[in-house]
Amino acid sequence: MGVSYFFVITQPFLNCHSFCEVITMRTLTAYNEDNFRQIEQYKGISVVRFSAPWCPPCQASEEMFSQFADRLDRDIQVGKVNVDQAPVLTTKYEIWGLPSVLIFHEGQLVKRIPGVKPASVYAQAIADIKKGSNALLTWNLLMLNRVPDRRHPECGLNE
């Protein structure tokens, strides 16, 4: 993961060493079929946002998600997947709505958060995982691994 440095001038520009503060911003790793195994093999928590450049809600919430990612502990992997560039991952993880945030623990998908949500929703999900809420994790795994019924209610054909 890369780190970008930005300088914020907090006082008139006289002596940069005493009046500037350095803010580090986490660069979100772009995942695709070639490197997503890093998430699936990571021994910790990973947060991955699935989005697309043509999706207005994705674009409107991108900055909020980036700010959320900046505040996460450095031992949490954070990244993004462009669904147009990773159709296999999009299908594998059943991404039906954008944006969608998937949270992995020990390489297993444990939480799916579809749609635009406030950062507090993501933070609470991570806090629950860190607490070791085994009942919650078990329930989420059961619900995520069930086979959804994707038949159209009127004609019975698959969507």
Side-chain angles (χ1 to χ4, degrees):
M1 263 183 245
V3 175
S4 302
Y5 294 95
F6 294 93
F7 292 94
V8 176
I9 308 295
T10 57
Q11 298 291 323
F13 189 76
L14 299 172
N15 179 350
C16 189
H17 296 293
S18 61
F19 294 108
C20 293
E21 52 188 75
V22 179
I23 299 173
T24 59
M25 297 185 72
R26 182 183 281 195
T27 301
L28 297 181
T29 303
Y31 289 103
N32 56 40
E33 284 89 358
D34 297 330
N35 63 355
F36 201 79
R37 197 165 285 291
Q38 294 172 12
I39 296 292
E40 296 169 333
Q41 294 176 346
Y42 187 63
K43 299 295 181 197
I45 297 173
S46 303
V47 180
V48 183
R49 183 174 194 256
F50 285 74
S51 62
W54 46 262
C55 166
C58 299
Q59 298 310 307
S61 62
E62 187 170 1
E63 181 65 27
M64 180 273 302
F65 186 80
S66 294
Q67 290 173 359
F68 165 74
D70 287 340
R71 293 190 302 268
L72 289 176
D73 295 337
R74 294 296 175 200
D75 63 335
I76 297 176
Q77 284 190 342
V78 184
K80 59 185 176 179
V81 173
N82 179 337
V83 297
D84 292 335
Q85 296 174 351
V88 173
L89 288 175
T90 302
T91 301
K92 177 179 180 177
Y93 289 106
E94 298 180 343
I95 304 300
W96 302 109
L98 295 176
S100 285
V101 173
L102 304 186
I103 303 176
F104 295 80
H105 184 247
E106 305 293 325
Q108 297 293 313
L109 175 60
V110 294
K111 185 73 174 172
R112 176 187 307 270
I113 305 172
V116 176
K117 301 289 189 279
S120 60
V121 171
Y122 309 131
Q124 185 61 53
I126 291 170
D128 290 344
I129 293 167
K130 282 185 171 183
K131 275 193 284 188
S133 176
N134 290 332
L136 175 64
L137 291 177
T138 301
W139 172 254
N140 282 337
L141 282 171
L142 286 172
M143 295 309 292
L144 288 169
N145 291 324
R146 67 183 173 84
V147 177
D149 185 4
R150 301 225 184 272
R151 290 176 292 183
H152 191 275
E154 293 177 12
C155 65
L157 295 176
N158 287 338
E159 291 183 317

